[in-house]
Amino acid sequence: MLDLRPVGYVIGLLVAALGLTMLAPLVSDLTTGNGHWPVFLEAATVTTLFGALTALACRNGVTEGLTIRQTFLLTSLVWIVLPVFGAVPFMLGATNLGFTDAFFESMSGLTTTGATVIGGLEALPEGLKLWRGILQWLGGIGIVVVAMVFLPELRVGGMQIFRSEAFDTMGKILPRATEISSRISVIYVALTLSCAVAYAGTGMNSFDAMVHAMTTVSTGGMANFDASFGAFGAGAHYVAVVFMILAALPFVRYVQLIGGHASPLLLDRQVRGFFVTIAIIVLTLSLFLADTVHGFTEVAFRESLFNVVSIMTGTGYSSADYMLWGPFAVTIFFFVGLIGGCAGSTACSIKIFRYQLLFASIRTQIKRIHSPHGVFTPRYDGRTVSDDILNSVMAFFVAFIVSLGLVTVALGLTGLDFITSVSGAVAALGNIGPGLGPEIGPAGNFNGLNDTAKWILSFAMFVGRLEVLSVMTILTWHFWRA
Amino acid sequence: MLDLRPVGYVIGLLVAALGLTMLAPLVSDLTTGNGHWPVFLEAATVTTLFGALTALACRNGVTEGLTIRQTFLLTSLVWIVLPVFGAVPFMLGATNLGFTDAFFESMSGLTTTGATVIGGLEALPEGLKLWRGILQWLGGIGIVVVAMVFLPELRVGGMQIFRSEAFDTMGKILPRATEISSRISVIYVALTLSCAVAYAGTGMNSFDAMVHAMTTVSTGGMANFDASFGAFGAGAHYVAVVFMILAALPFVRYVQLIGGHASPLLLDRQVRGFFVTIAIIVLTLSLFLADTVHGFTEVAFRESLFNVVSIMTGTGYSSADYMLWGPFAVTIFFFVGLIGGCAGSTACSIKIFRYQLLFASIRTQIKRIHSPHGVFTPRYDGRTVSDDILNSVMAFFVAFIVSLGLVTVALGLTGLDFITSVSGAVAALGNIGPGLGPEIGPAGNFNGLNDTAKWILSFAMFVGRLEVLSVMTILTWHFWRA
Ligand SMILES: [K+]
Ligand SMILES: [K+]
């Protein structure tokens, strides 16, 4: 029998903590005097009470550690239960959303997807803007911890390639989860504050600077304006580019950097691949934009840089409606979303290291094909890659592409057109945010979709955030039988 | 040094043979008295002479067998050189095409893609209609032989899983290539004649019956009418469905069937997976069509059946403009094209057995994830699948998806819109034929595309027909260095 109490205990504590964080928007609404604060008092009370009672009820079942199955349930249930409570302020508050919309917005926030069903963001009370930022910020730190602590242990999607590395880096004396989480949290907070200060330096008011810093370092992408970063100038764009990139690099490298070791960051194959890919795509698109829209100006370069970095890191801000840049740009933005950032960051989607491993494997295959009797082994970062890891990465890639197909078909079945369906599936599974086309593209939002489509997309965000295979594992009969 | 003479010799012979087959359309044009026959006399003379002279020139270098590198060059060069000569009648003849268009049409024919740049097919002289059919028919038998004889030996894209099987089936006494080719050819001819007779039985005139039989059993899909099978009635549709399916099953099973063994065909996992997949998709789309367009009629079932089978087998006929069936149907047709038929048939694209192997691998991965200390091995058809084969299949899948992305981006760069680019890439790489959207969809043709796009698509057809990895192998520096 699977003992659910240890899982319930941790989730209860996390829900209670989420309830307490609702005091921040409460304070914010009190400060600005907009009279919206009772919403957060109510939501905080309900959430904290529910969380505390659950934790209390499960307390007698708490053990030293968690089994693998309990860990799986925990990492998955967290991303279902927290969005339910995160949705409460959207239902009670000025947005007055139904449960479908509120859950979508909350799931989109916590999974750092950033797709929104709310139009007219400018009119939101400060508390709700802040709440969206907080959801994304918590989701961002949550996923870094999950990606660095749990997924490598669970051997999901090839993440085990980073297992020994994280071990070596962190030392083996302190319990890993606590040690890693606390070090990473310090870095995360430092990044957020630096980002906020930098935004304020470009002339953003302090409230916007703080909220956008939270949605930048989490690569979340929710903005306080319908025009996203179109509401800001060049300075804010460049600051955003720097911090979106910082948020998409492997956080373990910052731990090493603080320990005085810069070379792991500078020599990291993921990092190099990430920068080379960005450089090539930005250059191509800049030339294209210079040729067709903006001429050879700083604007052509900046618009290209900002939006490519935003989509590739899975942030999802936009500084312009790139649907108007013509079919080539649209095609580029579709595929950039399938690349993603580095593992062990807040970024999402398929991720650079998986492509590198898959390409290494293809190179090995090609060598085997024309020298059938030779022995070739794919290498990554100087080490040979085991078939176990390759199979795991491959399973992830295929599961991702097939999920993409299924989500697209399901969305099509609800009546969405092809480009909305397929780009919506990428945007949700890759936790990016905006899709393509007039409806869910950079100039639109997800409000007009039917309820079924919103539930499908909420599920896709959940699946994408847990690296697809975790969810598949839980959905097997085998998992529940044992 | 790579000795090119044995390769040149075989290619010379094949070119000469192609030249001789041009006598068939010559006779056809003479018989119908349309005065178009000198075109084929000219083309046949040039082609046969060139082929014969090349073979003669290379004759002194002919050896017993071919090395692996020579085999690679041969299988690739064949699909470049033959299309060049196959294009001659389109340049000299009534179509009066430029080289870009003529090469596209010829490549599309020989790779059994079936995409066409010719509008107003009804007005073509009989010889040219027949020539399109012949190109597809030759391409079809060619690819079965390559897929059964060469690719398993070359260990491309997981085809080696069929190696021992083909060995066992064919016996080891006769040289395999000759033995397999001749047995398969007999079956291919028998299928073609049966198909032609069946078409004639539905009221098709004998010329159309013959040409469409050739483009059916090759899963080529070129038709004599702009409306494709919209020009025919229900009887022809059902006949086409039967023969498109027969052409997409593994031909080795027919050899066994003739030898008195029906069970290999009936128990084949590919075949079962193929039928189950078709059944599910046709049922879903029929219900959708019944609900939205046709009501619960035979037409809803037949339109769904015909077009799904056509795209999934990679034939590419259409009986209606399914772009008008709404976004869900469009989405379905996009993904059906990525499934494909069985290995060892004339069908193309990713193919059923690769999905089965990949899913088996994902199941194994999921088991490993929640029982990290267990030992699990993926199985296919009762046998364990080696990591070598899995890696090979994975390499194919990734290479296919990445090629799809690159071709789409390249097409976008020439100015095509997103749906035309991405569906054109699938249609060409999967050797299917029609894409989606108003331009290259079932109601359009490829004539209006720019020349660059046509060359990109021609290259994509070539890459797709050679299972992607063969082409990549040849493009490596390593291949030429040794
Ligand atoms: K995002
Ligand atoms: K075809």
Side-chain angles (χ1 to χ4, degrees), chain A residues 230-299:
Chain A
F232 303 115
H237 292 170
Y238 285 114
V239 169
V241 164
V242 169
F243 283 93
M244 288 191 286
I245 288 177
L246 287 175
L249 298 183
F251 276 41
V252 65
R253 300 292 173 231
Y254 299 141
V255 176
Q256 294 167 314
L257 194 66
I258 291 169
H261 305 290
S263 61
L265 175 64
L266 300 175
L267 298 176
D268 188 304
R269 250 196 79 192
Q270 275 202 94
V271 175
R272 294 182 161 207
F274 180 67
F275 277 105
V276 169
T277 311
I278 286 184
I280 292 171
I281 298 172
V282 169
L283 192 69
T284 310
L285 192 61
S286 297
L287 290 175
F288 177 82
L289 273 190
D291 188 45
T292 56
V293 186
H294 289 296
F296 281 87
T297 57
E298 181 264 351
V299 177

Side-chain angles (χ1 to χ4, degrees), chain A residues 161 357 376-387 389-390:
Chain A
I161 200 173
L357 285 171
F376 306 98
T377 325
R379 301 178 73 80
Y380 185 73
D381 243 350
R383 291 176 291 172
T384 55
V385 181
S386 69
D387 274 329
I389 287 174
L390 272 188

Side-chain angles (χ1 to χ4, degrees), chain A residues 164-187:
Chain A
S164 61
E165 184 178 50
F167 260 124
D168 298 346
T169 312
M170 301 298 179
K172 286 162 191 167
I173 298 156
L174 276 179
R176 278 182 73 229
T178 322
E179 171 74 4
I180 297 182
S181 309
S182 66
R183 291 207 194 183
I184 293 294
S185 301
V186 170
I187 290 165

Side-chain angles (χ1 to χ4, degrees), chain A residues 108 111-115 136 218-222 310 313-316 348 430-434:
Chain A
S108 171
T111 56
T112 74
T113 305
Q136 298 227 288
S218 59
T219 64
M222 283 181 168
S310 167
T313 59
T315 308
C348 349
N431 300 120
I432 298 161

Side-chain angles (χ1 to χ4, degrees), chain A residues 196 198-210 212-213 225 229 232 236:
Chain A
Y199 276 145
T202 68
M204 218 182 268
N205 74 47
S206 58
F207 179 78
D208 286 341
M210 197 61 220
H212 288 106
F225 301 87
F229 265 58
F232 303 115

Side-chain angles (χ1 to χ4, degrees), chain A residues 72 361 369-370 387 394 478, chain B residues 72 361 369-370 391 394 478:
Chain A
F72 262 109
S361 170
I369 284 173
H370 62 73
D387 274 329
M394 169 210 73
H478 192 77
Chain B
F72 263 109
S361 170
I369 284 173
H370 60 71
N391 287 336
M394 170 210 73
H478 191 77

Side-chain angles (χ1 to χ4, degrees), chain A residues 68 72 154-155 327-328 331 335 361 365 368-370 372 387-388 391 394-395 405 408 412-413 416-417 473 478, chain B residues 68 72 154-155 327-328 331 335 361 365 368-370 372 387-388 391 394 405 408 412-413 416-417 472-473 478:
Chain A
I68 287 200
F72 262 109
L154 299 178
R155 318 206 303 170
F328 175 63
T331 306
F335 287 106
S361 170
Q365 278 305 314
R368 279 185 196 158
I369 284 173
H370 62 73
D387 274 329
D388 176 52
N391 286 336
M394 169 210 73
T408 306
L413 203 46
L416 304 192
D417 65 272
T473 304
H478 192 77
Chain B
I68 286 200
F72 263 109
L154 299 178
R155 318 206 303 170
F328 174 64
T331 305
F335 287 106
S361 170
Q365 278 305 313
R368 277 185 196 159
I369 284 173
H370 60 71
D387 274 329
D388 176 53
N391 287 336
M394 170 210 73
T408 305
L413 202 47
L416 304 192
D417 65 90
M472 285 190 172
T473 304
H478 191 77

